[in-house]
């Protein structure tokens, strides 16, 4: 199989944490993966190095998902170069936590623009190509707090809940062309973000998890790997929860 025959995937926010695990899982499957990053070039290049020896290769590409112009340009270039785009995983996200009484408009807008509008921009950028191919897989990374809410995260919870509605609407729009759209909702996962939590906060979180442990980025990646596979071809508009039983819905 030459490079032009390989499936092409794009993973936003792919340079570390859950995004990195997804990039590596898809590359191991044999897909060529565009690893998007906004500022961490070294981390993105490290991700690419970790994939050396895999059947698929990892290509770091810089663009800000919150900037619609950058998103359009980046996807146009990817499609022009590879002549196809088979998989999109919307993983990029930020937090700007604050209690709502003290939350500044910028904190609200920054999170909604990156975490929700960014997903819309990327989905819109791939739709025409996937419709042309009559095949595609889109997986959006939401969060357990999109279902449970979380004090101090009204902005983040709203964005992640919005992703679920976007996922289901897009699934209905694209199903006739053999394009599936699903979401994965991680719970408490071991990442840079969670490793900085005080021990008391970690213990409080663990007490809410029936499996009594923190999840790993790889466990989230396994769910994504399934949803983009041929085995999941009859699954669309769904949310897979990867949270150790923290939320059951």
């Amino acid at each position: 199989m030459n490079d032009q025959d390989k499936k092409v995937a794009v993973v936003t926010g792919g340079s570390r944490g859950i995004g990195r695990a997804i990039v590596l899982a898809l590359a191991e499957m044999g897909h060529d993966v565009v690893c998007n990053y906004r500022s961490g070039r070294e981390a993105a290049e490290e991700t690419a190095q970790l994939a050396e020896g895999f059947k698929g290769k990892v290509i770091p590409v810089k663009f800000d998902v919150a900037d619609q112009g950058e998103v359009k340009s980046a996807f146009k270039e990817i499609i022009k170069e590879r002549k196809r785009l088979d998989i999109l995983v919307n993983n990029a996200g930020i937090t700007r936590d604050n209690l709502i009484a003290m939350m500044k408009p910028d904190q609200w807008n920054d999170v909604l623009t990156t975490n929700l509008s960014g997903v819309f921009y990327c989905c819109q950028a791939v739709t025409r190509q996937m419709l042309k191919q009559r095949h595609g897989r889109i997986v959006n990374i939401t969060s357990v707090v999109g279902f449970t809410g979380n004090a101090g995260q009204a902005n983040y919870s709203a964005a992640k809940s919005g992703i679920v509605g976007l996922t289901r609407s897009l699934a209905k729009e694209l199903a006739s062309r053999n394009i599936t759209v699903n979401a994965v909702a991680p719970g408490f996962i071991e990442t840079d973000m969670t490793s900085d939590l005080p021990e008391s906060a970690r213990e409080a979180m663990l007490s809410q998890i029936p499996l009594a442990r923190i999840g790993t980025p790889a466990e989230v990646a396994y769910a994504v790997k399934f949803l983009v596979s041929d085995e999941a071809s009859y699954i669309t508009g769904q949310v897979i929860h990867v949270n150790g039983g923290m939320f059951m819905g």
Side-chain angles (χ1 to χ4, degrees):
M1 180 186 291
N2 61 44
D3 282 353
Q4 292 299 325
D5 293 329
K6 287 183 181 178
K7 286 185 177 177
V8 177
V10 175
V11 179
T12 67
S15 62
R16 56 186 181 155
I18 291 172
R20 172 179 283 183
I22 293 168
V23 167
L24 295 177
L26 297 185
E28 194 171 23
M29 289 175 77
H31 306 319
D32 283 348
V33 188
V34 172
C35 173
N36 156 256
Y37 68 97
R38 184 179 64 173
S39 57
R41 178 164 185 81
E42 286 186 8
E45 289 177 343
E46 185 178 300
T47 303
Q49 290 169 4
L50 289 169
E52 287 181 6
F54 288 180
K55 289 183 287 184
K57 64 182 178 182
V58 174
I59 309 101
V61 175
K62 179 181 179 180
F63 62 89
D64 184 357
V65 299
D67 185 318
Q68 189 174 22
E70 285 191 23
V71 170
K72 283 183 175 181
S73 296
F75 279 94
K76 184 177 180 181
E77 190 60 33
I78 292 164
I79 293 166
K80 179 182 177 183
E81 183 175 332
R82 299 308 304 265
K83 307 292 189 290
R84 63 188 299 166
L85 209 163
D86 305 275
I87 298 164
L88 168 65
V89 182
N90 286 300
N91 169 75
I94 61 171
T95 55
R96 298 286 185 269
D97 297 352
N98 210 341
L99 295 173
I100 200 160
M102 296 178 285
M103 186 174 287
K104 295 176 173 58
D106 283 351
Q107 292 176 309
W108 173 269
N109 291 328
D110 288 351
V111 170
L112 267 290
T113 301
T114 295
N115 296 13
L116 183 55
S117 295
V119 175
F120 161 67
Y121 297 151
C122 292
C123 286
Q124 191 176 59
V126 305
T127 298
R128 188 183 299 271
Q129 180 64 28
M130 288 186 176
L131 288 170
K132 180 181 174 183
Q133 294 168 179
R134 301 186 72 88
H135 183 273
R137 297 282 186 267
I138 297 174
V139 180
N140 299 320
I141 306 301
T142 177
S143 168
V144 66
V145 303
F147 296 84
T148 64
N150 196 32
Q153 288 194 314
N155 49 5
Y156 188 79
S157 299
K160 291 300 186 178
S161 183
I163 286 173
V164 177
L166 188 157
T167 296
R168 289 172 174 159
S169 296
L170 195 56
K172 290 188 174 184
E173 288 186 23
L174 302 179
S176 66
R177 294 298 183 94
N178 196 31
I179 301 165
T180 65
V181 189
N182 293 288
V184 173
F188 194 36
I189 306 297
E190 191 65 74
T191 63
D192 292 346
M193 198 181 298
T194 56
S195 64
D196 292 337
L197 288 173
E199 190 59 33
S200 58
R202 288 172 69 89
E203 290 300 323
M205 190 69 73
L206 282 170
S207 70
Q208 301 175 44
I209 304 173
L211 283 180
R213 69 173 178 84
I214 299 170
T216 67
E219 288 172 314
V220 180
Y222 296 146
V224 175
K225 188 175 177 181
F226 169 65
L227 288 172
V228 304
S229 71
D230 290 340
E231 287 78 4
S233 61
Y234 199 55
I235 299 173
T236 196
Q238 305 302 313
V239 180
I240 293 183
H241 293 272
V242 184
N243 60 34
M246 188 176 178
F247 169 80
M248 302 182 188

